[in-house]
Amino acid sequence: MPVKTEPCAFSEERIYPGHGLGFVNRAGKKFVFATCKNRHLFLSGRKALNQRWTKQWRRAHKKESILRQVKKGKGRRTLKSERGIEGLSLQELLKKKNESAEQRKKTADDAKKAGPVTKAAKKADLNSRLRDLRKKRKEQGNEKKKKNESAEQRKKTADDAKKAGPVTKAAKKADLNSRLRDLRKKRKEQGNEKEAPAGKGGAKKSGADAKKAGGAKKSGAAAAKKGGAAPAAAKKKGGGKKKAGGGAKK
């Protein structure tokens, strides 16, 4: 009957049930020793490799043959698992396996009709699929936008589109020209408004000057009239004197 034994923590001797000494350190680890001597040497910090009677020293100096216990594992059963290969999935493989001779012939004929698959053909196929995918995504995005838009907004956008009409290069050019024309007109009006106040002031001044000139002319005429009256009076006086002289001569 096999008996359960424990190895000594120092000498590695077998300790049978009912024998040996136990020791538990502060960390809670348990050590079992065959004799008090082993326990004393272990606790005093001696090395088992330096003691000739320990198993460790005997192994180091090749006094004892090292026997390794090799467990024989039970024979493992290999399970068959069908997996796909590169380029073909498991389903396609099974499909090909279950195909009849007629179906295989038909697929071969179809491949011959299609012709050899080149890099350019693959690229074209990929581009076309990408195009379709982008188109699909764009349509989905537009649908989402339409759902989010309210009925009034849709109506408004439709009315604006009708009013605007098809946007062409000629229409854009005409719109730009009309805006430029309006801008030039506006600037011209602003310039005329600035010039108008200065013109009115000049006109007023010229009118005042004309009035002053007219007044001066009038005063000159009055003075001339006065001058004419005085010589006439002097002439009349002279005439009287002559008459008087004539009377004296007589």
Side-chain angles (χ1 to χ4, degrees), residues 45-188:
R46 301 289 177 87
K47 288 182 180 179
L49 195 63
N50 296 336
Q51 307 299 324
R52 289 171 69 94
W53 47 271
T54 57
K55 295 263 186 187
Q56 202 172 350
W57 186 91
R58 289 180 71 77
R59 274 200 307 273
H61 293 83
K62 296 179 182 179
K63 303 293 180 185
E64 223 174 76
S65 59
I66 300 160
L67 297 169
R68 289 179 184 174
Q69 291 180 354
V70 181
K71 288 183 180 179
K72 288 184 179 180
K74 292 179 182 179
R76 290 180 183 177
R77 291 180 182 178
T78 53
L79 296 167
K80 284 185 179 180
S81 61
E82 290 181 340
R83 293 181 297 173
I85 57 168
E86 193 180 348
L88 285 171
S89 63
L90 179 62
Q91 292 173 353
E92 288 173 349
L93 276 170
L94 291 169
K95 196 178 178 182
K96 283 202 167 190
K97 195 177 181 182
N98 299 327
E99 266 183 356
S100 62
E102 290 177 2
Q103 286 175 332
R104 282 173 195 163
K105 197 176 182 182
K106 194 179 180 181
T107 50
D109 292 338
D110 292 337
K112 279 180 183 178
K113 283 176 184 176
V117 180
T118 58
K119 279 188 179 179
K122 280 182 181 178
K123 199 173 182 181
D125 181 47
L126 183 67
N127 288 333
S128 66
R129 278 189 288 167
L130 283 167
R131 237 177 276 123
D132 295 336
L133 191 67
R134 285 193 203 106
K135 203 174 183 181
K136 209 174 186 180
R137 281 181 182 171
K138 202 174 183 181
E139 284 171 4
Q140 285 173 356
N142 292 334
E143 282 174 9
K144 281 181 182 177
K145 279 182 184 177
K146 280 179 183 177
K147 282 177 184 177
N148 293 332
E149 275 183 357
S150 62
E152 290 177 5
Q153 283 177 335
R154 284 175 202 162
K155 198 175 181 182
K156 195 178 180 182
T157 49
D159 293 336
D160 292 339
K162 280 179 183 177
K163 283 175 185 177
V167 181
T168 57
K169 278 188 178 179
K172 280 183 182 178
K173 200 173 182 181
D175 180 47
L176 184 68
N177 288 332
S178 67
R179 278 190 287 168
L180 284 167
R181 237 178 276 123
D182 294 338
L183 191 68
R184 286 194 202 105
K185 202 174 183 181
K186 211 173 186 180
R187 281 182 182 172
K188 201 173 184 182

Side-chain angles (χ1 to χ4, degrees), residues 224-237:
K225 279 179 183 178
K226 283 178 184 177
K235 279 177 182 178
K236 280 178 182 178
K237 283 178 183 178

